[in-house]
Amino acid sequence: MTCYSATKDDLGFAHDPFKAIVAPRPIGWITALSAKGEVNLSPYSFFNAISGRPNIVMFSSESKKDAVSFIEETGEFTCSLVTKALAGPMNLTSAPLPRGTSEYAHAGLEMAPSRFVKPPRVAGTPAALECKLISIQQLKDMHGEPVPRWMVLGQVVGTFIDDAFVKDGRFDTAGANPIARCGYADYAEVTSLFSIQRPPGG
């Protein structure tokens, strides 16, 4: 067995294995509006839920991209669930397009209105979260030095669910067939689930 130093750039791999080890990771497909009404849609694989009561989600951007700047301006965003059927369009929205170019149009997607926030969601997604900004923080390393990474925290104020994916009062995760990022150019898809009941306390 070999233990590598994570503080060194050269780990002996063609690519840093970190993102492949911390996997699969949900994809936050974020729609944000600027103060001028510009729309940005971009996927983030550093994304997850971090609280259940209240519902809070987080995503982190590896530079201060339009999504972060727009959310900073208007304080709202949506997260659309990425499914296997939407994988191709999602990937197209990751392209570094010129400022002002619509990712929705570039990927052949349509917008659907939200109920509690101004940014739209992706039409055709089985589920989406409507969020209000809690905070934006520039990350620091273990020495306290700022790094060009920004973490956005948002509280969920509304949830859209397509009725076709509700079964027995539960969201049908496997039926929705979401995908997740696994490092490199690899993705995983959810096609089945298994359950484990939490054991009782002693």
Side-chain angles (χ1 to χ4, degrees), residues 66-112:
D66 285 349
V68 178
S69 297
F70 288 3
I71 293 168
E72 192 171 48
E73 290 177 12
T74 59
E76 298 180 339
F77 61 96
T78 64
C79 308
S80 295
L81 184 68
V82 183
T83 64
K84 180 68 178 299
L86 292 169
M90 177 278 298
N91 188 46
L92 288 173
T93 64
S94 70
L97 303 177
R99 183 72 178 265
T101 303
S102 169
E103 290 85 7
Y104 273 92
H106 178 72
L109 295 166
E110 294 184 2
M111 303 179 198

Side-chain angles (χ1 to χ4, degrees), residues 87-136:
M90 177 278 298
N91 188 46
L92 288 173
T93 64
S94 70
L97 303 177
R99 183 72 178 265
T101 303
S102 169
E103 290 85 7
Y104 273 92
H106 178 72
L109 295 166
E110 294 184 2
M111 303 179 198
S114 298
R115 181 176 178 185
F116 300 102
V117 298
K118 291 181 180 179
R121 58 177 168 82
V122 174
T125 184
L129 306 175
E130 302 179 14
C131 305
K132 295 276 191 178
L133 175 65
I134 295 174
S135 67
I136 297 175

Side-chain angles (χ1 to χ4, degrees), residues 25-178:
R25 298 185 309 281
I27 300 168
W29 208 5
I30 308 298
T31 300
L33 283 179
S34 73
K36 296 178 181 179
E38 301 164 294
V39 180
N40 177 267
L41 173 63
S42 45
Y44 290 89
S45 66
F46 287 136
F47 167 83
N48 221 314
I50 60 170
S51 172
R53 292 186 180 178
N55 297 156
I56 297 174
V57 295
M58 173 282 302
F59 77 91
S60 179
S61 178
E62 296 203 296
S63 63
K64 196 169 187 181
K65 298 178 181 176
D66 285 349
V68 178
S69 297
F70 288 3
I71 293 168
E72 192 171 48
E73 290 177 12
T74 59
E76 298 180 339
F77 61 96
T78 64
C79 308
S80 295
L81 184 68
V82 183
T83 64
K84 180 68 178 299
L86 292 169
M90 177 278 298
N91 188 46
L92 288 173
T93 64
S94 70
L97 303 177
R99 183 72 178 265
T101 303
S102 169
E103 290 85 7
Y104 273 92
H106 178 72
L109 295 166
E110 294 184 2
M111 303 179 198
S114 298
R115 181 176 178 185
F116 300 102
V117 298
K118 291 181 180 179
R121 58 177 168 82
V122 174
T125 184
L129 306 175
E130 302 179 14
C131 305
K132 295 276 191 178
L133 175 65
I134 295 174
S135 67
I136 297 175
Q137 304 169 35
Q138 183 173 6
L139 300 183
K140 297 180 181 180
D141 65 16
M142 61 185 176
H143 304 294
E145 295 296 323
V147 295
R149 308 288 187 268
W150 278 262
M151 180 175 66
V152 178
L153 300 180
Q155 183 167 332
V156 179
V157 296
T159 302
F160 162 80
I161 299 177
D162 185 330
D163 290 340
F165 298 96
V166 178
K167 292 185 177 180
D168 300 322
R170 299 173 57 173
F171 178 67
D172 183 10
T173 304
N177 197 198

Side-chain angles (χ1 to χ4, degrees), residues 2-24:
T2 304
C3 184
Y4 300 91
S5 171
T7 59
K8 293 183 179 179
D9 291 332
D10 183 9
L11 300 179
F13 292 89
H15 301 281
D16 185 350
F18 170 74
K19 294 179 183 179
I21 294 170
V22 185

